[in-house]
Amino acid sequence: MFVKAENSNAIKKKTKSLCYFVTEKSDLPLGFPKIDQKLTNSIKEAVKETKGKLGSISIIHTHDMIPTQRILVAGLGPRHKITHESIRTTSGKIAKKVSDIGLDEYCISIPNNLPVNSKVVISSIVEGARLALYSFDKYKKDKKLKTPNLTIITSDTTASQTIAKASSVSEGVLYARSIANLPPNECNPAQMAGFAKSLSSKNKLKCTIFSKSELKQKGFGGITAVGQGSKNEPKLIILEYHGKKDAKPTILVGKAVTFDTGGISIKPADKMDEMKFDKCGGCTVLGVMKAASELKLPINLIGIIPSVENMPGGESYRPGDIIRLYDGKTAEILNTDAEGRLILFDALSYGIKTYKPKEIIDFATLTGACIVALGTNVAGLVSNNKKIADKISKSSHTTGEQVWQLPINDDYMDMIKSDYADIRNTGPGRVAGTITAAAFLANAVGNTPWAHFDIAGTAWIQGGSKEKSYNPKGATGFGVRLMLDYLNNP
Ligand code: BES
Ligand code: MN
Ligand code: ZN
């Protein structure tokens, strides 16, 4: 899909579909000019029918009365409730409709008098359209989805830059989705590393991959323990982007378990296929690295992705094992299905020791407990730093990727102390499962400013996921837009 801006008289535009927004309690679309009375009346009738309700769409054929073939009117809901999110979802709806009826291009006319600034309007339109027109059809003979080109008609003279930015951000999300959606037989840790390598050569990032023997030799006891049960060997993927001289980096860490069977503590068969999405945290990091480098953000950014396949077998690690993690701490394994925290621990402590970051932020489909606590539309957030948590919350409101912060303190840290080792990989029973998992990670980060996203519920569309035009079936790319907004606001 190609998106461009144009400063012209919309109603004179020869296009297959000219789109306008309409709000509740108004009889004509926003910025709609005075034209032929007959046509104006038909539009008024259509608006009356949909009442400008959020997500409503009506199409009026013009029969050559004006140059455009159709006028599409899309409802934004009540005027005082217009946000990034309502524009994003409405733009997604428009894009899907235009695609469904088979058009190859359309125009959206932006009014000057919306209650949000035009940068917000334009970037939300671009995001909504690009993200809605994604479908994971790599393995389908009939590729059904048409992706029409979009012209945004606006008097904003900086529109082109806004479009370019929003396009890079959206491409980051789509890239994350495209890897996250891959089946586990086509995305093992080595293949995951391959994707990072090709991204790094396209985007001039530095890329380092640690093999199984290097991981062993360097003391990555968590990654090697979890990875030892699979013939698909574990990898540690490191991407470096340098956009500023002499500045401490931000580190992003992402869990990439390419398939999580649970290992010896094996999972039930029901929905086990969904554990191909257990690599989504790593994919989020890839998406952010891609976009951050394309946007040439003036920061230093390190992406660290521990990647393993968690399998049962004769070589697997077991409940009862005591392993030594990267920083020297020992961990007692009580459940091999609590594997994410083990590989993240190594990645976090390696990152902190190697790069002395100003902050470290991780993304992981870490606990089923997070879904129990918050459902599938809000990610869990645990942090040791109020500034970071507040900034994340702010970005979250901008991007519509919802988060809710959970507490952490010494009582929770005590819950993962082990009788036989320094720490253990599960808490007592199922209580506070998301927080005890985070407490395990907190042992790796110490005083380094840190935030942890548990994206178990939000990384892909699953039971209870709210239907959003711009989040089609499969992986959502949750966190990519949020993190880019965060990094954009120093
Ligand atoms: N990848 C899972 C968490 C998960 C489950 C994410 C379902 C999304 C949907 C993780 O590795 C896991 O298995 N966690 C266990 C931890 C438990 C054994 C302490 C869980 O949540 O059951
Ligand atoms: Mn697991
Ligand atoms: Zn897992």
Side-chain angles (χ1 to χ4, degrees):
M1 150 177 235
F2 187 76
V3 185
K4 67 175 196 291
E6 202 178 281
N7 185 357
S8 61
N9 186 354
I11 207 72
K12 295 216 167 121
K13 184 84 184 159
K14 194 170 158 57
T15 170
K16 292 186 179 147
S17 180
L18 176 59
C19 308
Y20 284 91
F21 295 115
V22 64
T23 52
E24 284 180 19
K25 298 200 174 112
S26 63
D27 61 342
L28 273 175
L30 297 160
F32 197 77
K34 281 210 163 47
I35 50 162
D36 175 273
Q37 196 54 46
K38 236 176 163 175
L39 193 54
T40 303
N41 285 343
S42 327
I43 290 165
K44 279 187 178 166
E45 293 299 327
V47 166
K48 231 186 232 161
E49 283 168 9
T50 60
K51 301 189 189 71
K53 289 259 177 292
L54 180 62
S56 66
I57 287 200
S58 37
I59 293 178
I60 299 97
H61 289 262
T62 62
H63 303 284
D64 295 329
M65 290 154 90
I66 51 175
T68 179
Q69 286 178 10
R70 302 167 186 76
I71 286 183
L72 185 156
V73 184
L76 273 183
R79 183 179 172 84
H80 67 276
K81 277 196 184 165
I82 294 177
T83 58
H84 297 82
E85 182 69 3
S86 62
I87 299 172
R88 200 180 292 119
T89 54
T90 304
S91 171
K93 276 254 161 95
I94 297 172
K96 293 275 283 176
K97 187 76 200 175
V98 169
S99 161
D100 283 349
I101 60 181
L103 310 183
D104 56 4
E105 58 82 25
Y106 66 114
C107 295
I108 297 182
S109 169
I110 303 188
N112 288 319
N113 57 343
L114 279 175
V116 284
N117 80 47
S118 70
K119 268 199 181 53
V120 169
V121 177
I122 293 168
S123 56
S124 302
I125 287 177
V126 174
E127 281 180 13
R130 292 194 107 95
L131 299 182
L133 293 178
Y134 167 84
S135 139
F136 181 63
D137 55 11
K138 186 167 184 224
Y139 297 93
K140 283 195 174 279
K141 184 153 81 226
D142 304 327
K143 313 228 185 269
K144 275 200 236 122
L145 192 76
K146 286 216 158 51
T147 54
N149 293 328
L150 165 62
T151 304
I152 298 176
I153 302 179
T154 172
S155 57
D156 180 341
T157 52
T158 63
S160 297
Q161 284 116 285
T162 309
I163 291 173
K165 261 190 162 176
S167 295
S168 292
V169 170
S170 306
E171 287 303 318
V173 177
L174 300 186
Y175 178 68
R177 286 181 187 171
S178 70
I179 296 176
N181 281 327
L182 290 174
N185 58 326
E186 300 232 338
C187 185
N188 59 36
Q191 287 163 317
M192 189 85 195
F195 298 134
K197 259 247 125 67
S198 50
L199 173 66
S200 75
S201 49
K202 272 187 218 118
N203 286 31
K204 299 205 187 89
L205 299 164
K206 184 176 172 202
C207 180
T208 313
I209 314 278
F210 289 158
S211 66
K212 178 177 181 172
S213 58
E214 288 167 308
L215 289 166
K216 250 205 169 114
Q217 177 242 322
K218 292 178 199 294
F220 288 89
I223 300 175
T224 49
V226 179
Q228 75 195 34
S230 173
K231 77 176 201 330
N232 296 315
E233 297 186 350
K235 303 280 179 199
L236 183 67
I237 301 160
I238 303 160
L239 289 168
E240 298 180 36
Y241 164 72
H242 294 283
K244 188 174 182 178
K245 274 216 156 62
D246 306 322
K248 283 186 168 185
T250 294
I251 300 185
L252 304 180
V253 175
K255 169 180 173 180
V257 175
T258 61
F259 194 66
D260 182 12
T261 65
I264 296 298
S265 316
I266 198 162
K267 287 181 182 296
D270 189 42
K271 291 198 190 145
M272 199 202 271
D273 58 293
E274 292 191 358
M275 283 300 113
K276 70 177 179 186
F277 293 119
D278 214 17
K279 58 184 180 296
C280 283
C283 297
T284 293
V285 172
L286 286 179
V288 176
M289 295 304 294
K290 175 171 157 55
S293 52
E294 279 171 18
L295 291 164
K296 300 200 164 53
L297 295 187
I299 55 167
N300 293 326
L301 192 61
I302 315 286
I304 306 184
I305 302 168
S307 187
V308 297
E309 187 176 46
N310 188 20
M311 295 290 271
E315 318 251 298
S316 298
Y317 79 134
R318 326 154 185 71
D321 280 2
I322 293 179
I323 63 173
R324 191 172 291 281
L325 299 163
Y326 183 79
D327 74 345
K329 288 194 188 77
T330 55
E332 182 189 7
I333 307 306
L334 293 181
N335 190 318
T336 63
D337 198 11
E339 83 296 340
R341 61 199 76 181
L342 300 171
I343 67 170
L344 289 168
F345 190 108
D346 280 357
L348 291 164
S349 42
Y350 174 80
I352 289 168
K353 185 180 163 203
T354 311
Y355 298 98
K356 317 257 179 308
K358 69 166 188 207
E359 58 190 351
I360 191 159
I361 300 174
D362 75 77
F363 294 87
T365 47
L366 204 60
T367 64
C370 190
I371 301 176
V372 176
L374 301 177
T376 46
N377 297 300
V378 179
L381 175 67
V382 177
S383 177
N384 62 4
N385 186 291
K386 187 168 183 314
K387 252 197 181 147
I388 297 184
D390 287 348
K391 216 177 129 187
I392 286 172
S393 164
K394 207 169 153 217
S395 290
S396 152
H397 284 108
T398 303
T399 66
E401 295 158 287
Q402 301 182 73
V403 300
W404 191 259
Q405 192 176 358
L406 300 169
I408 184 160
N409 60 39
D410 286 344
D411 292 345
Y412 294 107
M413 300 297 277
D414 286 345
M415 287 165 77
I416 53 152
K417 287 195 172 141
S418 163
D419 291 339
Y420 309 116
D422 298 328
I423 48 179
R424 56 184 206 183
N425 81 331
T426 65
R430 285 210 287 260
V431 299
T434 301
I435 306 175
T436 53
F440 191 92
L441 304 181
N443 271 285
V445 300
N447 293 324
T448 304
W450 162 68
H452 157 66
F453 287 86
D454 194 326
I455 57 171
T458 54
W460 72 95
I461 299 301
Q462 51 188 299
S465 295
K466 185 179 157 79
E467 236 187 271
K468 287 188 178 180
S469 59
Y470 64 84
N471 275 348
K473 255 195 202 95
T476 57
F478 185 99
V480 175
R481 289 183 300 114
L482 193 160
M483 211 52 234
L484 287 165
D485 184 86
Y486 178 97
L487 295 170
N488 242 312
N489 295 299

